[in-house]
Amino acid sequence: MASKPTGGRRKRANSVKEVIDQIETDPAHHLAGPFVNTSPTPPSEGEVPTPKVADKNGHVFNGVSRKKRAKAGPPQPDFLNNGLWSDITSLNWARVPSSALFLMSIPVLLFLQWQIISPNAPNPFRFLLMIQYQVPGTSDPVMYQKGYGDLAFLAYYVIVFCFIRQFLTLHVLRPLGWKWGVRKEAKLDRFTEQGYAMIYFSTSGALGLWAMYHAPTWFFQGRHYFQDYPYWKMTKFMKSYYLLQFSYWLQQFLILVLRLEKPRKDFKELVIHHIVTLWLIGWSYLINLTPIGNAVFITMDVSDIFLAFVKLLNYLKFEAATPVAFGWLVLVWSYTRHYLNLQILWDVYNDFDLVPKWAQQWAPETGAWLVPWMKWQIFAPLALLQAVNLFWYFLIWRILLRALFKDKLADERSDDEDDGKPDDENDKGD
């Protein structure tokens, strides 16, 4: 009996192994993609190759010489040309730094105007720009608590992170990647994303370690997560650090779910990761467990520095340095995302009963939320995050073993995520 036509549908995998193989060889996967070893794809039957005109040195690229193309610089994305009002109404301001800067400036100007007109009256715009809710009577250090105005702070700094991200990627990292020879549009986009990730996580990782260093939980002393609970009073540094991390992940989630950028093939996987991350951040802040959130931030951010660095080396085709950096990534990832995270899980399971008896109640007005069943509400998202990390860890080891016993870790094409077409072979050395 003749088989039914598939109608162009992708064949469904028949086993877990097939699914893993698809992910490992998927050039658009956010973790495995940059390390896919892909050969140039020949033109399909009947396809007419694009005519190429060589310059005097024989270097060509779709009719434009390498020197002219390099001198012209990277092409500007089309979304920069829509106009301010269109950016605001379509949420495109999240991608256009000038529009984000305009939105950022409005609260600043209103704040300054209020200070001039009514310097002795409480300024309502302070909730957008600065940390609020100082605990009365505290000094050396001054302590802060939560408040509904923190939501305004989060919303404003989502806009700030949109501006910072797009300014760096479009006006710093994109020209830098172009100068260093990253010419293909999809690779250039991924290069800027990983460059920004390395900048952000290097900063947040250092700030997180600094925050923990000045807390009883240094260095991952898990019993202090619970025996000193509740942590409803925070230093200005800790509260700023925590809310800025929250704003960063809200901004990342906004970009993802609104599809303001081209979705990757592992879109659903990343959505799940971001939801779990926001769940952990928001819930730990609400129930006064910021030290455990600080610990998880560090374990994730430090490993992300090395992941972004390895990807950057691979995009730049540093074939000698990439395997060494990848080896360091495996070591750091193993220690931070698994050893330390499993230790945090054990601390939740084993030390939860160290919560003071008076705080083992649902009494938000006193800062206490940790009734007995909350142990599992804390444990569950941490375990889910560990499951996602174990899946990625498995992929990392598959990549490493493939590099050791089969192919090179990095090939000329590390991430062809736009149209599946190879880089021009004459474009090497741009």
Side-chain angles (χ1 to χ4, degrees):
M1 185 175 178
S3 61
K4 294 181 180 180
T6 60
R9 293 181 181 178
R10 181 182 295 178
K11 182 180 178 182
R12 180 176 295 177
N14 295 322
S15 68
V16 174
K17 183 178 183 302
E18 289 185 32
V19 173
I20 297 297
D21 289 340
Q22 289 177 4
I23 291 174
E24 185 190 7
T25 57
D26 184 356
H29 191 275
H30 84 282
L31 191 149
F35 308 106
V36 172
N37 189 357
T38 313
S39 301
T41 306
S44 58
E45 186 176 352
E47 180 180 354
V48 179
T50 304
K52 301 178 184 291
V53 180
D55 64 7
K56 64 181 181 180
N57 296 319
H59 298 296
V60 298
F61 188 84
N62 294 337
V64 181
S65 70
R66 186 181 67 177
K67 286 185 178 180
K68 290 182 179 179
R69 192 161 50 87
K71 186 177 180 180
Q76 290 297 312
D78 294 336
F79 60 76
L80 294 177
N81 304 317
N82 295 332
L84 176 62
W85 180 248
S86 176
D87 289 342
I88 294 174
T89 56
S90 65
L91 297 181
N92 197 47
W93 56 264
R95 297 194 294 172
V96 181
S98 58
S99 298
L101 181 62
F102 174 81
L103 294 177
M104 284 169 52
S105 66
I106 295 174
V108 175
L109 293 174
L110 291 173
F111 175 85
L112 295 174
Q113 181 180 352
W114 187 282
Q115 289 295 101
I116 294 171
I117 297 174
S118 305
N120 298 321
N123 193 322
F125 301 103
R126 71 188 188 278
F127 292 100
L128 291 163
L129 306 176
M130 307 168 190
I131 294 296
Q132 300 296 316
Y133 301 110
Q134 181 178 332
V135 178
T138 59
S139 61
D140 196 29
V142 175
M143 305 298 285
Y144 291 79
Q145 58 187 324
K146 302 189 304 289
Y148 288 111
D150 294 342
L151 296 174
F153 184 92
L154 289 176
Y156 179 75
Y157 279 90
V158 166
I159 302 174
V160 172
F161 275 116
C162 285
F163 167 75
I164 294 173
R165 180 184 190 273
Q166 293 304 101
F167 179 82
L168 288 176
T169 55
L170 292 174
H171 300 298
V172 179
L173 295 169
R174 190 176 176 86
L176 194 61
W178 183 270
K179 180 179 180 181
W180 287 348
V182 183
R183 294 286 191 265
K184 196 167 185 180
E185 186 66 23
K187 279 187 181 179
L188 193 58
D189 287 343
R190 298 311 184 211
F191 175 86
T192 60
E193 288 176 9
Q194 296 308 314
Y196 175 70
M198 187 171 176
I199 293 170
Y200 177 79
F201 290 122
S202 297
T203 304
S204 63
L207 294 176
L209 286 168
W210 182 258
M212 181 182 278
Y213 181 74
H214 292 86
T217 52
W218 179 262
F219 182 78
F220 296 92
Q221 297 295 318
R223 66 183 182 277
H224 290 287
Y225 302 148
F226 301 106
Q227 72 178 23
D228 301 327
Y229 181 84
Y231 292 92
W232 67 272
K233 292 188 293 185
M234 297 168 280
T235 63
K236 188 174 185 178
F237 182 87
M238 174 61 88
K239 182 170 181 177
S240 301
Y241 162 76
Y242 220 83
L243 290 181
L244 288 174
Q245 284 274 44
F246 205 166
S247 294
Y248 169 82
W249 283 105
L250 284 171
Q251 182 263 341
Q252 292 292 97
F253 189 68
L254 176 70
I255 294 291
L256 194 66
V257 297
L258 295 180
R259 303 197 178 203
L260 297 178
E261 295 179 347
K262 181 181 177 182
R264 300 178 178 182
K265 293 181 181 179
D266 57 342
F267 175 79
K268 292 181 180 178
E269 179 184 337
L270 288 173
V271 168
I272 293 172
H273 172 268
H274 284 29
I275 289 174
V276 173
T277 301
L278 290 172
W279 177 12
L280 282 167
I281 299 171
W283 196 241
S284 61
Y285 187 72
L286 176 65
I287 66 174
N288 301 318
L289 266 178
T290 49
I292 199 170
N294 174 217
V296 175
F297 277 140
I298 293 171
T299 62
M300 305 297 286
D301 292 353
V302 171
S303 55
D304 275 333
I305 298 170
F306 286 82
L307 178 61
F309 182 61
V310 172
K311 289 183 178 182
L312 288 172
L313 291 178
N314 205 53
Y315 293 141
L316 294 172
K317 302 180 182 179
F318 288 168
E319 296 182 358
T322 303
V324 177
F326 196 88
W328 277 103
L329 168 63
V330 173
L331 292 175
V332 173
W333 186 289
S334 301
Y335 179 68
T336 58
R337 293 214 180 191
H338 298 294
Y339 175 78
L340 289 178
N341 265 307
L342 288 171
Q343 179 181 314
I344 293 171
L345 273 170
W346 172 251
D347 292 333
V348 173
Y349 178 80
N350 192 59
D351 296 336
F352 184 86
D353 293 335
L354 295 177
V355 174
K357 292 298 181 183
W358 74 265
Q360 295 180 19
Q361 59 176 325
W362 190 277
E365 67 278 2
T366 67
W369 297 72
L370 296 189
V371 291
W373 60 266
M374 284 291 292
K375 173 180 182 178
W376 304 109
Q377 205 287 332
I378 299 168
F379 190 90
L382 291 173
L384 182 57
L385 188 62
Q386 181 60 205
V388 174
N389 285 331
L390 283 170
F391 176 70
W392 287 337
Y393 192 49
F394 174 73
L395 291 180
I396 286 174
W397 275 103
R398 292 256 297 193
I399 295 167
L400 181 61
L401 293 175
R402 184 184 63 198
L404 291 175
F405 298 109
K406 292 184 180 180
D407 306 308
K408 294 180 180 179
L409 183 65
D411 196 61
E412 289 182 8
R413 289 175 66 232
S414 60
D415 195 15
D416 296 303
E417 298 179 42
D418 50 351
D419 55 6
K421 297 179 182 178
D423 290 332
D424 192 314
E425 63 179 348
N426 291 319
D427 204 36
K428 302 172 187 176
D430 277 10

